[in-house]
Amino acid sequence: MLTITSVHEMQSWVDAQRAAGKRIGLVPTMGYLHAGHLSLVAQAGERSDVVVASIFVNPLQFGANEDLSRYPRNIEGDTRLLDAAGAAVLFLPSVNEMYPEGYQTAVSVDLVTQGLCGASRPTHFRGVTTVVAKLFNMTKPHVAVFGAKDFQQLVAIRRMVADLNFGIEIVGAPIVREADGLAMSSRNAYLSPDERRAALCLSRALAASCHLVEQGERDALRIVGAARRVIAEEPLARIDYVSLVDADNLQQVTELQRPALLALAVGFGKTRLIDNCVLSQRSTVESQQPSEPTENTLDCKLSTVD
Amino acid sequence: MLTITSVHEMQSWVDAQRAAGKRIGLVPTMGYLHAGHLSLVAQAGERSDVVVASIFVNPLQFGANEDLSRYPRNIEGDTRLLDAAGAAVLFLPSVNEMYPEGYQTAVSVDLVTQGLCGASRPTHFRGVTTVVAKLFNMTKPHVAVFGAKDFQQLVAIRRMVADLNFGIEIVGAPIVREADGLAMSSRNAYLSPDERRAALCLSRALAASCHLVEQGERDALRIVGAARRVIAEEPLARIDYVSLVDADNLQQVTELQRPALLALAVGFGKTRLIDNCVLSQRSTVESQQPSEPTENTLDCKLSTVD
């Protein structure tokens, strides 16, 4: 596996690959990789000839009081994992390479970034779409894979790709969970043993709502309420939001009529975790989003087994 | 010359051209073409194998009270001119093709769009950079040519291309003027005969400042004052701004030390015109911008001959 740190070298490499007729897959990450990230590399590998995995802890997507400075890093370990996963290139630009002096451009997606995490992290998604637009122009992928845990990010990126005519296939990959149901996240490393135990209320909450829907419940307040009650029972948990929204446009729904996203963000000490599952009117184990396949709802069902 | 109206067809066409090893040049316009536009097509032709000229009157770059609805159009005439100028494709998308239902993404460049026209047209440059980013992704050019009359637009686009790593060469083409010195603009068609005559004060104002600099003047207030006085003598002219700014970052300068842009915007009746020239400390006839060649300062000198 090559490690490339310069934008110019990255662009030259992909230009040569494209000239040779290769299909390029991109997996953008912030590093400190876990099995969830590696599943993205595997998915990208199935859909392309060469996979570029990027690691860049993007300052633009962190708020002033967020965890930029303490975000966990392990480039050596990440390099070994990506190499073993079959990535062709680790793209590892510096902050100065990404945002040199005088940098002043932003890409923003409006409506779908307003609610959910956008409400408490007002500049986050602008940072995400900006850096992803840059990564797209640097690595010129045919296909890019993002995890469905960051579901709002996935929706915002799909919207940006459609709106700005990037012509890149965006794949949303299912959430990968620990054996006990906790969605994998680099931020799980922040959790104390007590918080780690408490964080299981997230997948339990999603499972409780799924169960209610399986029994025929369609009312959003009651579906959300079931999840909220599970989390409220956990003293270490502070709810940021629990919301049922349309899976395409992320607008709040009052009744489950078509596939909807049950999404939540909850704080444990200094750590903020998110999780979600897609609920369908017909069946919670349906493994399709309206536009792209995921296994989120299946995950949700699996997570009831803890 | 082909006329293409669909984004998908446009992308397929350029993909085939790129696969065949062709270098693609882009000239984005809003139509109602004049000799200035055709000079852009010629410049693009010199730097590429196939030229795509786009015509799209972009609603996003017009303010609520601006001239979107009455912006002049002449697709038949434009088609003949582009064909004769050697363009390979006229790209002519509809508003709905560019901004379909649900559209919600913007590309914005911050600092260089704040002053000059950005002050009185606060959403204009965001509209410009957004549509140009889209056109870049639709036509995948190696080189794109923009006129130096819209100097701030040119600076904003250069900044966007650098910041978002588009990897496209941006060429700024010199202002083309009528024989009497008026910078060519589709909006000149709005002018009454009296306003058309009055509008000559713009090139005369630039020439007056140029003359002062040739005589050794370096003080921004005095250089700007010379231009203002010429315009103030014209009863039909309403000054929006006359400014001397750094030609790279568009920040106001107090003294002419390195190449600076003398830029102005002036209203005549309902019509707002802009013009500019680049002034250099050493000589006003220097034909170089700091980063890219133009003949703006030469234009300015030429316009004294009216």
Side-chain angles (χ1 to χ4, degrees):
Chain A
M1 186 183 68
L2 273 175
T3 296
I4 295 178
T5 58
S6 112
V7 171
H8 180 74
E9 199 186 327
M10 187 68 248
Q11 287 177 322
S12 301
W13 188 87
V14 291
D15 285 346
Q17 296 293 319
R18 277 193 166 252
K22 302 284 181 163
R23 195 172 151 82
I24 294 157
L26 172 68
V27 178
T29 82
M30 298 211 301
Y32 210 74
L33 304 179
H34 51 64
H37 296 109
L38 300 178
S39 79
L40 309 182
V41 176
Q43 290 236 13
E46 282 169 24
R47 293 158 185 263
S48 64
D49 301 312
V50 287
V51 175
V52 176
S54 65
I55 296 181
F56 181 64
V57 182
N58 175 30
L60 279 197
Q61 71 190 67
F62 287 80
N65 299 315
E66 292 180 4
D67 56 342
L68 173 60
S69 60
R70 64 179 187 126
Y71 197 85
R73 292 163 206 242
N74 179 3
I75 292 300
E76 268 185 46
D78 290 349
T79 303
R80 279 194 301 272
L81 289 171
L82 289 173
D83 194 16
V89 171
L90 162 58
F91 180 46
L92 188 67
S94 67
V95 171
N96 191 55
E97 186 75 1
M98 291 295 264
Y99 304 118
E101 204 190 320
Y103 185 93
Q104 57 190 278
T105 300
V107 179
S108 49
V109 176
D110 186 9
L111 302 175
V112 299
T113 65
Q114 300 292 313
L116 304 180
C117 290
S120 52
R121 307 184 73 191
T123 61
H124 171 67
F125 288 108
R126 189 179 60 193
V128 169
T129 45
T130 299
V131 81
V132 170
K134 285 172 63 69
L135 288 168
F136 284 168
N137 284 342
M138 290 168 179
T139 64
K140 301 174 190 170
H142 297 79
V143 57
V145 186
F146 296 83
K149 185 169 73 65
D150 301 295
F151 198 96
Q152 191 174 14
Q153 166 177 286
L154 178 60
V155 170
I157 288 166
R158 275 195 212 287
R159 192 71 248 180
M160 174 184 78
V161 165
D163 284 354
L164 296 187
N165 315 94
F166 271 103
I168 297 169
E169 181 192 356
I170 302 299
V171 175
I175 295 177
V176 176
R177 296 179 183 278
E178 305 286 355
D180 60 7
L182 182 67
M184 289 199 185
S185 164
S186 305
R187 289 190 168 98
N188 291 347
Y190 295 147
L191 300 171
S192 72
D194 281 350
E195 289 166 349
R196 173 68 182 74
R197 231 168 287 129
L200 291 178
C201 72
L202 303 189
S203 52
R204 276 206 315 274
L206 295 176
S209 293
C210 282
H211 184 62
L212 213 55
V213 172
E214 281 179 321
Q215 292 180 315
E217 185 59 67
R218 296 294 175 261
D219 180 74
L221 277 179
R222 281 195 284 258
I223 295 168
V224 167
R228 282 189 171 273
R229 269 193 303 281
V230 172
I231 300 168
E233 283 164 16
E234 175 48 63
L236 293 182
R238 283 185 327 278
I239 292 178
D240 176 0
Y241 65 80
V242 181
S243 298
L244 189 68
V245 297
D246 183 276
D248 277 334
N249 63 26
L250 304 188
Q251 296 298 296
Q252 294 256 348
V253 299
T254 54
E255 205 181 312
L256 191 63
Q257 286 178 324
R258 51 193 223 107
L261 178 76
L262 181 63
L264 49 80
V266 177
F268 298 89
K270 287 183 180 170
T271 305
R272 182 178 176 279
L273 299 180
I274 58 176
D275 202 348
N276 70 74
C277 67
V278 175
L279 302 175
S280 140
Q281 187 183 14
R282 293 177 300 280
S283 153
T284 57
V285 293
E286 173 153 309
S287 67
Q288 299 287 321
Q289 284 177 50
S291 36
E292 293 289 325
T294 76
E295 294 164 24
N296 266 16
T297 51
L298 196 58
D299 286 337
C300 172
K301 190 155 175 76
L302 279 177
S303 68
T304 64
V305 194
D306 63 322
Chain B
M1 184 182 68
L2 275 174
T3 296
I4 295 178
T5 57
S6 111
V7 171
H8 180 74
E9 200 185 327
M10 187 68 249
Q11 288 178 321
S12 301
W13 188 88
V14 292
D15 285 346
Q17 295 294 320
R18 278 191 165 252
K22 302 284 180 161
R23 195 172 152 82
I24 295 157
L26 172 67
V27 178
T29 82
M30 299 210 301
Y32 210 74
L33 304 179
H34 51 63
H37 296 110
L38 300 178
S39 79
L40 309 182
V41 176
Q43 290 236 14
E46 282 169 23
R47 294 157 185 264
S48 64
D49 300 313
V50 287
V51 174
V52 177
S54 65
I55 297 181
F56 180 64
V57 181
N58 176 31
L60 279 197
Q61 72 191 68
F62 287 80
N65 299 314
E66 292 181 3
D67 57 342
L68 172 61
S69 61
R70 64 179 188 126
Y71 197 85
R73 293 163 207 241
N74 179 4
I75 292 300
E76 269 185 43
D78 290 350
T79 303
R80 279 194 301 275
L81 288 171
L82 289 174
D83 195 15
V89 172
L90 163 58
F91 180 46
L92 188 67
S94 67
V95 171
N96 192 55
E97 185 75 2
M98 291 295 264
Y99 305 117
E101 202 192 321
Y103 185 93
Q104 58 189 279
T105 300
V107 180
S108 50
V109 176
D110 186 10
L111 302 175
V112 299
T113 65
Q114 300 291 313
L116 304 179
C117 290
S120 52
R121 307 185 73 191
T123 61
H124 171 68
F125 288 108
R126 190 179 59 193
V128 169
T129 45
T130 299
V131 81
V132 170
K134 285 171 63 69
L135 288 168
F136 284 169
N137 284 342
M138 290 167 178
T139 64
K140 302 174 191 170
H142 297 79
V143 57
V145 185
F146 295 84
K149 185 169 73 65
D150 301 294
F151 199 96
Q152 190 174 13
Q153 166 177 286
L154 178 60
V155 170
I157 287 166
R158 275 194 213 287
R159 193 71 247 179
M160 174 184 79
V161 165
D163 284 354
L164 296 187
N165 314 95
F166 271 103
I168 298 169
E169 182 192 356
I170 302 299
V171 174
I175 295 176
V176 176
R177 297 180 182 277
E178 304 287 354
D180 60 6
L182 183 65
M184 289 200 184
S185 165
S186 306
R187 290 189 166 99
N188 291 347
Y190 295 147
L191 300 170
S192 72
D194 281 350
E195 290 166 350
R196 173 68 181 74
R197 232 169 286 128
L200 291 178
C201 72
L202 303 189
S203 52
R204 276 206 315 272
L206 295 176
S209 293
C210 282
H211 184 63
L212 213 55
V213 172
E214 282 178 320
Q215 292 180 314
E217 185 56 71
R218 296 294 175 262
D219 180 73
L221 277 180
R222 282 195 282 258
I223 295 168
V224 167
R228 282 189 171 273
R229 268 193 304 280
V230 172
I231 301 169
E233 283 165 15
E234 175 47 63
L236 293 182
R238 282 187 327 278
I239 292 179
D240 176 359
Y241 65 79
V242 181
S243 297
L244 189 68
V245 298
D246 182 278
D248 277 335
N249 63 26
L250 304 188
Q251 296 297 297
Q252 294 255 346
V253 298
T254 55
E255 206 182 311
L256 191 63
Q257 285 178 325
R258 51 195 222 104
L261 178 77
L262 180 63
L264 48 80
V266 177
F268 298 90
K270 287 183 180 172
T271 305
R272 182 178 176 279
L273 300 180
I274 58 175
D275 201 348
N276 69 74
C277 68
V278 174
L279 302 175
S280 138
Q281 188 182 13
R282 291 178 301 282
S283 153
T284 57
V285 293
E286 174 153 309
S287 66
Q288 299 287 321
Q289 285 178 47
S291 36
E292 293 290 325
T294 77
E295 294 164 21
N296 265 17
T297 50
L298 197 58
D299 286 338
C300 172
K301 191 155 177 73
L302 279 177
S303 68
T304 63
V305 194
D306 64 320

